[in-house]
Amino acid sequence: MDRNPSPPGSDAEEEEGDAVGNTVYSKHWLFSVLTRLIEVIAPAEPDPAASPEGGRTELDEEMENDICKVWDMSMDEDVALFLQEFNAPDIFMGVFAKSKCPRLTEICVGILGNMACFQDICMSISKDENLGQVLLQRLCDSDSPTLLETSRLLLTCLSQPEVANVWVERIRDNPSVYDCVCFIMSSSTNVELLVKVGEVVDKLFDLDEELMLNWIKNGTCRSVGPSVDDSPEELPDFKIVPCILEAAKQVRSDNPEGLDVYMHILQLLTTVDEGIQAIVQAPDGGKETWSFLYDLICQELCQPDDPPIIVQEQKTVLASILSVLSAMFASQTEQEYTRMRKSKSCFFFVDMPLIGSLIRILQYMESCGKRAADKSKESEQEETGRTDVNEEDFHLKILKDICCELLSNMLQELTKENTLEGLHQGHLNEQTCCCAFQNLLPLYFASVESFLEVLREADQTLADNLEKRFPSLKVHT
């Protein structure tokens, strides 16, 4: 059915002062809907649509239409303030406590989410400890639409600096939130829900490193989780990295923005040692994570048949992915290099397709940099134009720095066999090597010099040509 019927207006014949604020909506009508809502969750007489435990299991069409109208109307600040004045949050608390109707719960959480968009109301909602705890419990709901609206409400509150810390502390003190969020990420196939939950986790980790560390170390506590019959259900022993990875796989093809969110979550994990260890010390040594990110870079993002401008569109997700790959690479190099070399079990040290992809990203950035320079000249007198270009330059610089760091580390690990493979496959040639050297020098001189020595064994002519183009690399005898 249509969730957006036209909201009722205040007719001219209604008594003066019936309009809500500066809107055309009727106070009397709104009040009557809230009154009927109370009757729905606490009927005076037995209702055939009610469950044995009390409360209706479904809404009649008229009531659903009316409460959906309120949902739409609540996006107006005057209406939101009116609902706050008439204690709508307390009424919704009653709904959450007594109603067995998922649709009604979804709508009421959605209305609160709209109301929370306004600062004063958000502060009032956030400071209500009972309401806050009840809303967090909604994350253990089995109804996807309710979970979506709950996640939207939490994200709205976390995005308001005045109350963000209240919610961070509340979530930190409530272990069930971790389990419920992990359960959603690891088991849901609802892409819209996964994206919104990902945004909540991303915001939480960005706001509070302590909470992120707690979640990284978590996985040993058990708590009550979602169940269709509301009976207690013990959740699995969740680990944060596999859950994030599973959600990323679900959103990968359907929602590029969602993929960006989950890649940024992984990047945030790598900002602390515990996060890096959680990634690389999985039972498979981080191979699943590496393989997933590798596939994104080598098979999906910034491909040879894409126009160079694609790097602008994908710069944030590329930066996040390469940052995680770089952290994994460095960690494995430091801690497991000898063991992996001896066992010949390394899966990323000498990967030529990835090196080829890194160089292609640098080539595309060079092309975009030239276009940006031309645009900057054209808009030299326009302050806004200059700001936009500088902002783009900033994000591309971050991507370039991350890309160069990973590329330099990988070049140092190449052998003659790897280099011959790269030449044969077309990943290495004079053009790609020149691009790599131009971006790596002079900061990564040692890496380039090391690679050139190996290249000389594989292709003396190419090595000589590169030395001529980059005299600083010429070996002195």
Side-chain angles (χ1 to χ4, degrees):
M1 62 170 289
D2 184 2
R3 197 191 67 76
N4 296 292
S6 299
S10 180
D11 296 334
E13 295 180 359
E14 295 278 359
E15 62 182 79
E16 187 175 351
D18 184 56
V20 178
N22 293 321
T23 73
V24 296
Y25 306 137
S26 166
K27 288 181 181 178
H28 177 78
W29 183 87
L30 272 170
F31 186 76
S32 70
V33 175
L34 293 177
T35 302
R36 287 161 55 204
L37 182 57
I38 296 173
E39 294 172 351
V40 167
I41 59 174
E45 297 181 3
D47 189 330
S51 67
E53 295 81 7
R56 295 176 61 97
T57 58
E58 59 182 33
L59 286 174
D60 62 60
E61 186 174 351
E62 180 181 1
M63 185 63 198
E64 182 169 354
N65 276 334
D66 287 346
I67 196 67
C68 278
K69 291 176 184 177
V70 177
W71 190 357
D72 292 328
M73 293 163 63
S74 62
M75 291 186 289
D76 186 288
E77 185 172 9
D78 286 333
V79 174
L81 289 170
F82 177 86
L83 293 172
Q84 176 77 2
E85 180 184 350
F86 280 85
N87 299 318
D90 290 340
I91 297 174
F92 299 153
M93 280 270 286
V95 171
F96 303 147
K98 298 180 180 180
S99 173
K100 302 295 180 181
C101 176
R103 177 62 170 157
L104 181 58
T105 302
E106 173 206 354
I107 296 170
C108 291
V109 177
I111 294 172
L112 279 175
N114 283 350
M115 294 172 65
C117 293
F118 307 104
Q119 183 177 335
D120 290 343
I121 300 176
C122 186
M123 292 181 68
S124 176
I125 291 173
S126 300
K127 291 178 180 179
D128 187 328
E129 186 62 27
N130 289 332
L131 180 58
Q133 293 297 334
V134 168
L135 287 172
L136 290 184
Q137 290 172 12
R138 291 300 95 206
L139 287 173
C140 293
D141 205 295
S142 60
D143 181 60
S144 291
T146 298
L147 289 170
L148 176 61
E149 292 306 321
T150 303
S151 302
R152 172 177 161 259
L153 169 58
L154 290 177
L155 184 62
T156 299
C157 294
L158 289 168
S159 300
Q160 300 223 18
E162 297 80 8
V163 300
N165 287 340
V166 174
W167 286 98
V168 169
E169 292 177 11
R170 187 173 287 148
I171 292 170
R172 192 192 302 143
D173 295 338
N174 194 328
S176 67
V177 173
Y178 170 87
D179 282 339
C180 292
V181 167
C182 284
F183 182 85
I184 294 169
M185 291 193 297
S186 63
S187 62
S188 178
T189 57
N190 185 319
V191 171
E192 188 178 6
L193 172 59
L194 287 172
V195 172
K196 194 58 64 178
V197 167
E199 289 174 345
V200 171
V201 174
D202 188 42
K203 191 68 176 178
L204 283 170
F205 286 4
D206 195 39
L207 286 170
D208 193 78
E209 185 176 294
E210 181 184 346
L211 183 144
M212 181 173 71
L213 287 169
N214 289 342
W215 283 24
I216 291 170
K217 299 171 185 176
N218 214 327
T220 58
C221 67
R222 306 281 182 170
S223 62
V224 175
S227 176
V228 294
D229 57 1
D230 286 337
S231 60
E233 177 180 321
E234 196 175 71
L235 291 178
D237 188 17
F238 289 117
K239 299 293 185 183
I240 190 68
V241 173
C243 295
I244 293 169
L245 202 60
E246 185 60 36
K249 292 176 182 177
Q250 286 291 331
V251 304
R252 173 180 181 174
S253 58
D254 295 326
N255 195 300
E257 292 78 14
L259 180 63
D260 199 343
V261 169
Y262 279 99
M263 294 303 96
H264 189 253
I265 296 173
L266 282 177
Q267 182 182 5
L268 287 174
L269 293 182
T270 65
T271 61
V272 294
D273 289 339
E274 293 86 347
I276 298 174
Q277 297 311 310
I279 294 173
V280 301
Q281 291 184 356
D284 64 353
K287 186 171 184 178
E288 184 178 1
T289 301
W290 180 277
S291 297
F292 178 70
L293 302 181
Y294 170 91
D295 195 47
L296 288 173
I297 291 294
C298 295
Q299 304 296 331
E300 190 165 323
L301 300 173
C302 204
Q303 293 302 292
D305 55 349
D306 289 328
I309 196 67
I310 194 69
V311 78
Q312 288 278 15
E313 179 184 334
Q314 298 174 351
K315 57 184 178 291
T316 57
V317 68
L318 286 170
S320 294
I321 293 171
L322 294 182
S323 180
V324 177
L325 290 175
S326 184
M328 292 181 69
F329 189 95
S331 176
Q332 294 278 23
T333 301
E334 293 172 4
Q335 299 182 20
E336 301 185 34
Y337 177 89
T338 302
R339 179 185 67 80
M340 296 181 75
R341 282 295 193 188
K342 287 180 179 179
S343 65
K344 298 181 180 180
S345 62
C346 60
F347 51 86
F348 52 76
F349 277 101
V350 290
D351 194 280
M352 293 310 307
L354 180 54
I355 288 177
S357 295
L358 295 175
I359 295 175
R360 180 167 61 251
I361 291 171
L362 291 173
Q363 289 175 317
Y364 283 7
M365 281 193 288
E366 286 183 352
S367 177
C368 288
K370 293 176 182 178
R371 293 188 182 187
D374 293 340
K375 182 179 178 182
S376 180
K377 291 179 181 179
E378 293 174 2
S379 60
E380 192 172 4
Q381 305 303 319
E382 300 176 12
E383 186 67 27
T384 302
R386 284 204 304 272
T387 301
D388 291 343
V389 170
N390 289 337
E391 184 177 352
E392 293 294 339
D393 286 346
F394 174 75
H395 288 295
L396 286 175
K397 183 180 185 304
I398 292 175
L399 175 57
K400 177 183 175 181
D401 290 345
I402 296 170
C403 189
C404 286
E405 180 181 7
L406 179 56
L407 178 60
S408 68
N409 287 334
M410 295 194 77
L411 288 179
Q412 284 187 309
E413 301 299 327
L414 289 179
T415 64
K416 177 182 177 181
E417 291 73 20
N418 305 140
T419 304
L420 287 170
E421 178 187 358
L423 292 167
H424 176 71
Q425 294 175 348
H427 300 301
L428 296 178
N429 54 46
E430 187 166 347
Q431 182 184 14
T432 59
C433 288
C434 282
C435 176
F437 288 11
Q438 286 169 356
N439 284 279
L440 294 177
L441 294 172
L443 185 60
Y444 298 103
F445 181 88
S447 296
V448 173
E449 189 175 45
S450 172
F451 166 66
L452 191 60
E453 290 179 6
V454 175
L455 180 62
R456 189 174 290 109
E457 297 178 23
D459 190 328
Q460 180 68 49
T461 301
L462 176 57
D464 291 342
N465 290 341
L466 290 171
E467 280 187 344
K468 292 177 182 178
R469 298 188 65 167
F470 298 89
S472 62
L473 292 172
K474 190 169 185 179
V475 178
H476 296 285
T477 57

